[in-house]
Amino acid sequence: MATQNDALWPFYKFAVEHAALGIHAVDMNGRTVIYNEKMKQIEGLDLDELTDRSVLDMFRFGQEESTLMKVIRSGDPVRNVKQTYWNRNGQEITTVNDTYPVFGQEGMVGAVELARDVTALEKFVHQPLRTYDETVTFASITAESDAMKSVIATAKKAADAQLPVLLTGETGTGKDLLAGAMHNGSSHAGSPYYTLFCPGLDSADIHRTMKAIRKEENCTVFCDRLDLMPLKLQEELLKELEALGEDSRQYIASIGGDAFDLIANGSLLKGLYYFFSSITIYIPPLRKRMDDLWPFIDEFLDRHRQRFGSAVKELSPAVRETFDSYTWPGNLKEV
């Protein structure tokens, strides 16, 4: 005789598959048990690819732990967390997640994550702020605070010196912007600018890009987020860079934290640190240079009016007060 749960099962299944939220459930070992259609769209993977593989095998989370694994370890729910990560195909994904422990008759059996996809929104909002379809220069970087003025001054000297440069700072502080400004503010302006987005690279990508770089006597090579690349690939990258020999190329790299901490925890190869760190420039988080916040927002609103005919000229006093009291953990990407 069918139970009430048996009768409800088709409805549960239909709701999960047609939900507007991504739903990803894992067991206590991090292995997938539910992966709905919306989650496939968000992450670009199929359930078959996840079978018998842990979440940590399929995705790269940088310095932040997977919220699913965090809930499994703690047994506590994690709500409204914004998370940027990369799948094994190198695709960057940004979601806002609510993650909950799941309990059975004998205790906790796993965790389920409800994910709202904001990847497209991130690109729509953030990408125009980065370049505005214009050449990035030092003048296009907001630098009202003394801290950022010092950063710009050091970056200009580094661009003139053409020594390898390591940019450090939290996600969203504008390391890629600064690298672009250094290229365009140096003798390499107008020459090729190669960006290696390290979280999405594999061996073939490294070799293919380095083959192209060898043909260029003058160019800039920017290795973005070295610390999000597996150590084995970091070793390959270092060998390729060293094989280029002495030349007139400009080398710039970025990392998402303190270099010595990253080396100590196995996220950064010591040799790569030494290769890039002739000059190290630390970009402070927005919460430590709030003088840059409103000039940045005002510039964005002005450009938005020019490009899209927006009628928004300023933000309300209530919004301004909220912004002023907020800590901006996502830095400029969150503004």
Side-chain angles (χ1 to χ4, degrees):
M1 181 176 179
T3 66
Q4 183 178 12
N5 284 341
D6 292 333
L8 291 175
W9 172 247
F11 296 95
Y12 290 143
K13 184 177 180 181
F14 184 90
V16 166
E17 284 304 318
H18 292 81
L21 294 173
I23 301 175
H24 188 179
V26 298
D27 63 19
M28 294 299 290
N29 294 314
R31 301 190 185 282
T32 297
V33 293
I34 296 176
Y35 194 74
N36 76 339
E37 190 63 35
K38 182 62 178 179
M39 208 64 172
K40 295 176 188 176
Q41 295 172 14
I42 293 172
E43 296 183 337
L45 298 174
D46 290 319
L47 181 58
D48 290 344
E49 297 178 78
L50 292 165
T51 302
D52 296 328
R53 292 188 179 184
S54 165
V55 171
L56 300 182
D57 293 333
M58 295 303 299
F59 302 100
R60 299 173 188 162
F61 291 91
Q63 299 306 304
E64 293 187 5
E65 186 181 17
S66 157
T67 46
L68 276 167
M69 299 308 295
K70 186 178 294 185
V71 168
I72 285 175
R73 292 191 177 102
S74 69
D76 298 321
V78 175
R79 299 182 179 89
N80 200 35
V81 172
K82 181 180 174 183
Q83 190 164 44
T84 297
Y85 54 103
W86 294 264
N87 66 20
R88 291 178 69 89
N89 298 323
Q91 296 171 304
E92 182 178 351
I93 302 154
T94 303
T95 56
V96 178
N97 304 333
D98 293 317
T99 312
Y100 302 93
V102 178
F103 295 92
Q105 293 181 350
E106 298 182 358
M108 187 172 169
V109 295
V112 61
E113 185 161 87
L114 309 178
R116 301 183 293 283
D117 184 18
V118 295
T119 306
L121 179 62
E122 284 280 290
K123 292 179 178 178
F124 175 78
V125 173
H126 177 53
Q127 195 69 21
L129 299 179
R130 297 172 62 176
T131 63
Y132 307 108
D133 296 327
E134 301 170 6
T135 299
V136 178
T137 66
F138 289 117
S140 62
I141 297 176
T142 303
E144 295 295 322
S145 65
D146 290 339
M148 276 306 292
K149 288 177 181 177
S150 177
V151 165
I152 297 298
T154 303
K156 287 180 177 178
K157 293 177 182 177
D160 290 338
Q162 295 188 24
L163 293 171
V165 178
L166 182 66
L167 306 177
T168 74
E170 296 177 5
T171 297
T173 49
K175 297 183 289 294
D176 54 342
L177 274 179
L178 192 63
M182 290 175 62
H183 169 74
N184 292 314
S186 72
S187 61
H188 292 293
S191 65
Y193 180 84
Y194 292 93
T195 297
L196 287 82
F197 184 58
C198 295
L201 290 181
D202 58 24
S203 293
D205 295 327
I206 294 173
H207 297 315
R208 182 169 52 252
T209 306
M210 288 299 167
K211 184 177 180 180
I213 290 171
R214 287 190 189 95
K215 299 177 182 178
E216 304 291 344
E217 293 184 3
N218 294 290
C219 65
T220 296
V221 180
F222 175 46
C223 298
D224 194 11
R225 292 308 299 270
L226 291 174
D227 52 310
L228 297 182
M229 175 188 282
L231 280 181
K232 183 177 179 181
L233 289 179
Q234 290 188 38
E235 292 172 355
E236 290 188 32
L237 176 61
L238 178 59
K239 289 179 180 178
E240 291 280 0
L241 290 169
E242 290 177 336
L244 292 174
E246 296 293 330
D247 51 49
S248 59
R249 303 179 186 93
Q250 171 72 66
Y251 297 103
I252 307 172
S254 73
I255 56 177
D258 178 81
F260 296 107
D261 289 342
L262 293 171
I263 292 171
N265 67 28
S267 297
L268 178 63
L269 189 69
K270 186 183 295 185
L272 268 183
Y273 166 72
Y274 286 127
F275 181 91
F276 283 104
S277 62
S278 294
I279 299 175
T280 299
I281 302 175
Y282 168 66
I283 306 176
L286 184 57
R287 62 184 176 276
K288 293 185 178 180
R289 52 182 175 98
M290 291 291 283
D291 289 347
D292 295 324
L293 175 63
W294 287 107
F296 183 82
I297 291 174
D298 291 341
E299 182 185 7
F300 168 71
L301 292 176
D302 181 57
R303 289 180 179 273
H304 202 267
R305 286 194 298 272
Q306 292 179 28
R307 294 186 62 189
F308 302 109
S310 170
V312 179
K313 294 183 178 181
E314 59 183 1
L315 302 181
S316 70
V319 172
R320 293 181 70 94
E321 183 178 349
T322 300
F323 279 18
D324 284 333
S325 61
Y326 189 54
T327 58
W328 297 105
N331 294 295
L332 296 179
K333 280 190 174 182
E334 196 174 2
V335 177

